[in-house]
Amino acid sequence: MERFAAANLFTLLALLQFKASLFAAGCVSELSDDFAFVLLEMLLKMMASPETSSAVRLAAAQTFGKMWHFPSVADKSLQGGCTIVLKFSEEATLTTMLISLLKLASKSIDHSSKQNLEVLSHFDMVQILLKMLDEADASSALRCEILRVVVKILKCQLTCC
């Protein structure tokens, strides 16, 4: 029993260190686009790997929301994140990833609105975002952000056509 408790403690400490590392990497990515691209590639590979644990995926999904400071990184983050969302089935991580992409889209729309909005509409994100509105545990702040992004996507689609 003591071995099991020690193993659980080691796993928990390793996960906490990993989360702290991702948080720090997310902060550094706000300062350097080169570092942000490296972090993004790492996140995409982690999310796509079948060997990645759900706890690590959850932490990686939270980091996507920090990738908005450089338009080129934001665009690639949205594209990669949308691709992951469409292939993903794990509900907790999927919800976290959608929230991160929503934050990313909401912040990066102001940098390069047409390109980001086209990425979101191309991947049928409007339907996914509207489904999130129906979730009982969605906060009012999250619902406001969802509606804000959906309105911008729809406006872009109307002006692009």
Side-chain angles (χ1 to χ4, degrees):
M1 184 68 167
E2 289 178 19
R3 284 186 191 172
F4 182 72
N8 280 343
L9 180 61
F10 178 73
T11 303
L12 178 63
L13 290 175
L15 180 60
L16 289 174
Q17 285 179 329
F18 179 75
K19 286 181 176 183
S21 297
L22 275 182
F23 178 79
C27 292
V28 173
S29 73
E30 295 173 6
L31 305 173
S32 166
D33 62 339
D34 290 336
F35 187 83
F37 273 118
V38 170
L39 176 62
L40 176 61
E41 288 301 318
M42 184 183 79
L43 292 172
L44 291 171
K45 287 179 183 176
M46 270 193 288
M47 295 295 290
S49 173
E51 289 89 32
T52 304
S53 72
S54 60
V56 169
R57 266 198 191 100
L58 191 62
Q62 292 170 336
T63 308
F64 266 86
K66 290 186 170 258
M67 307 300 284
W68 63 272
H69 291 276
F70 302 98
S72 57
V73 177
D75 294 341
K76 191 168 181 180
S77 298
L78 277 171
Q79 290 171 352
C82 289
T83 301
I84 288 170
V85 163
L86 294 174
K87 294 178 181 178
F88 223 76
S89 61
E90 196 174 296
E91 190 170 325
T93 307
L94 180 62
T95 302
T96 303
M97 188 68 175
L98 284 170
I99 291 169
S100 289
L101 289 175
L102 180 61
K103 289 177 183 176
L104 178 63
S106 177
K107 291 178 180 178
S108 67
I109 278 172
D110 300 328
H111 287 103
S112 57
S113 63
K114 279 194 177 180
Q115 188 173 3
N116 286 335
L117 291 171
E118 286 171 5
V119 167
L120 288 173
S121 60
H122 174 70
F123 285 102
D124 296 325
M125 291 300 288
V126 173
Q127 287 182 332
I128 295 170
L129 292 172
L130 291 176
K131 286 179 186 176
M132 287 179 68
L133 285 174
D134 291 334
E135 292 183 13
D137 60 344
S139 69
S140 58
L142 176 61
R143 286 187 172 130
C144 287
E145 283 299 310
I146 291 170
L147 290 172
R148 180 175 171 250
V149 172
V150 168
V151 165
K152 286 187 177 188
I153 291 170
L154 295 175
K155 281 183 180 177
C156 179
Q157 286 180 342
L158 289 174
T159 59
C160 293
C161 297

